[in-house]
Amino acid sequence: MGVTVLQQFPMVENRTGPQTIEFLTKRVVALGAVQTGQFLVDCETYMSVPNLGPQRTVHVVHNSEAPASVFAVLESGQRSVPLVADGLFDLLMQKMATIYSKKQPKIEAKGPRFEIADFCVKLGSVTMGQNFKGVLVEVEYRPCLVASSCWELVREFLQGFLGSVVPATPPPYLQNRMNELYQPIDTVNQYLEQFAQYRKATGVR
Amino acid sequence: MIENVSQPVSTATESLNAARNIIPNQEYLLQGSVMDSAVEVLLHRLRGLCDNVDSGPEPFYDHEMCFSIRGAGSMQPLLLRVRRALDYQDMPWQLRYIGQPEIGDKSRPTIVRNSIDIGTSATVVEFLTELGCRMDFEYIVRGYMFRKGRMKITVSKIFKSGQGKPLDNMEALSQSYLVELSVLAPSGQDAIAEDMRSFAEQLRPLVQLEKVDCKRLQHVP
Amino acid sequence: MEPFYTALNAVKVLRSSVGHVFDTLGNGVRADHGEENKDNKFLLELQELLSTVNVNLRELDQAVNSLTPPPGPFNLGNSTYLTQECTLERQALYADLVKSYKWTDKVHEYGNLAVTLFSQNSLKRSYINSSSKRRRMQTSSHNVPPQTVDQVIGNIDRQFSDMSVTIQRPYATNAVLQITLGRILKAMAAFKGLMIEWVVVKGHGETLDLWTESRHKVFRKVTENAHAAMLHFYSPTMPELAVRSFMTWFHSYNTLFSDPCKRCGNHLHSALPPTWRDFRTLEPFHEECKP
């Protein structure tokens, strides 16, 4: 998996969710991209029961780009422990239902997936439960595995169809890992970072 | 192949529910033991009976840790096992949930218990510790694995891991080898238990494989 | 073996002198015997020849006496079996013979086809250049001992800190290089002596071998450009310089994703980074922005 950058596309007053996706789709296709199906990233959150001690949260994320894996990130205070496991991990979480209970609602990003040269672009509509919350754009540059080598290149690509909303600096999670080999769990963590923002926001952002 | 670009992606829960009937989550188990002096003969017999006669048994050298986590109240703790290969450091680790054996039917030839095997990354121990699990014990196990169709037979010796790195000063726990015959199958395939019993017959009198009731063992004074 | 050869030689000499005697006898009296006393001269000549024969016979006797008789029957090895089985049907010799004949025939035919195909390529670097006039030996860059190749590659490996070059020899003496350029890309180069024959460039995370091309479009382009560079830097008279220049050029790819194109100033053109490196200045250019 190559370096992936997740970018939030802020919602504008006079455009609804589907309209925004369509607007971005036109722009991406104009660059020469071809649609190659749909993608889905979903996150379920489990919280520990009180008598286990201080509160711990487990986010279980599935990414359609890695269909045989389940990603779990445990947050306990300031610490965050990642785990990558295979599909049966969900069954285990079901068995632990009495210790870690599912917190509603589920938050997910889904939408069309495009490919152009060595890039992979995903336009995701974020929904929490039944409510639409915003649009996330994910761009993966497959040939490169180190963020510091290709950040400028990916930023130029993002600007090509998102315009000036793209910041000069990478997402906060990625900033700490610019010189390390990129791994699928890094994409998951970027999604969690964004999902946390969406949870805090009331309404659309 | 023209891909249907607008077909939605199935969620993980949907695929899990759809596969419920084929996920192997039941373990059928028979156990026995053989003294050190007799193990060579057993290995020889197994080598002839099992698959892959020419390539021989697969040796393994694993480190296993057992964790437990307590839920609310005085309920039974949930037991989890983590296993990693010491001879292949880059292989995924194995997280295993083993349920209580199904009591009841004394005529059942094997122990039947719920078992979920999950491959994980190497961060699993830290993950479980932060989750609230506590490590009850750990040990090193070294032995050979044979296969016959769906059945897996392991002949292994258990060592107590020393202080510090598990590889120094390993002392064997006993002067015998543990022999286990197991099958992981989806629920509702009890016929496999009969096959296991007849295979176990072929190994008598070298080793007696039978249902071992762990609870009875615990109460030995 | 020496006395054996001496004896055989002696036999040869004897035969030739005896042959000479009979020749002379058969020719009778010749014109160069003159007019007077031609009979005497003839007889004298014959006497001389006969005494030569005597001498040769004595030498042969001596040579044969110095030979040791063989200790026993000779060990014929596998050829003893040749006479044992006479029936053709049992030997299966015929079938094998036909097969090998067909095979040699095919090799011959394919060889001919290959020659016609290869000779059509005018960009060849082989050492069999036509011109039989210039008979001087051209320095061939692939007739180099492995140690020299190792030395040259070792120097290049030490020259660049972020490029590591390792040598493998899966095909007898010809080196196959594995080049790792930082964490950007990996490449495999097949050499013939000191001449680069084939290059494959792949990404950092891909499995590296000579026969499969990269999954990524950008590295496929870099592979094509590497082949162009390999032909550009070819020099039959200074093969070491050729390899060095190629490696220096190749090393400039460590900025494949980070440097923008010198001409248009952008990182991307049709979704590809600058995959061309100028042969002299090593500046990055897009495929379309090449000067």
Side-chain angles (χ1 to χ4, degrees), chain C residues 225 228-230 232-233 249 276-283:
Chain C
N225 293 341
M230 160 181 106
H232 171 91
F233 285 120
W249 175 87
W276 179 260
R277 292 286 179 280
D278 189 87
F279 290 137
R280 275 184 317 112
T281 58
L282 299 184
E283 288 167 345

Side-chain angles (χ1 to χ4, degrees), chain A residues 19-93:
Chain A
Q19 282 174 342
T20 317
I21 298 285
E22 209 181 296
F23 166 72
L24 288 174
T25 305
K26 277 211 204 51
R27 281 217 176 149
V28 168
V29 169
L31 284 178
V34 166
Q35 184 168 356
T36 51
Q38 305 268 324
F39 85 99
L40 167 66
V41 174
D42 64 54
C43 169
E44 309 227 350
T45 313
Y46 298 79
M47 308 205 74
S48 58
V49 293
N51 73 326
L52 207 58
Q55 173 98 116
R56 290 160 223 190
T57 319
V58 179
H59 298 285
V60 175
V61 178
H62 303 97
N63 186 351
S64 60
E65 202 70 15
S69 304
V70 172
F71 301 89
V73 175
L74 171 61
E75 281 167 11
S76 136
Q78 292 300 328
R79 284 196 68 186
S80 167
V81 183
L83 181 75
V84 184
D86 62 28
L88 296 176
F89 187 76
D90 288 327
L91 281 182
L92 182 64
M93 288 312 289

Side-chain angles (χ1 to χ4, degrees), chain B residues 13 122 152:
Chain B
T13 30
K152 180 172 88 165

Side-chain angles (χ1 to χ4, degrees), chain C residues 5 14 67 85 110 133-134 139 153 194 197 206 260:
Chain C
Y5 285 136
L14 179 63
L67 285 178
E85 187 55 72
Y110 288 158
K133 279 198 221 165
R134 292 182 290 130
T139 50
I153 303 299
L194 268 182
E197 288 222 301
E206 294 184 272

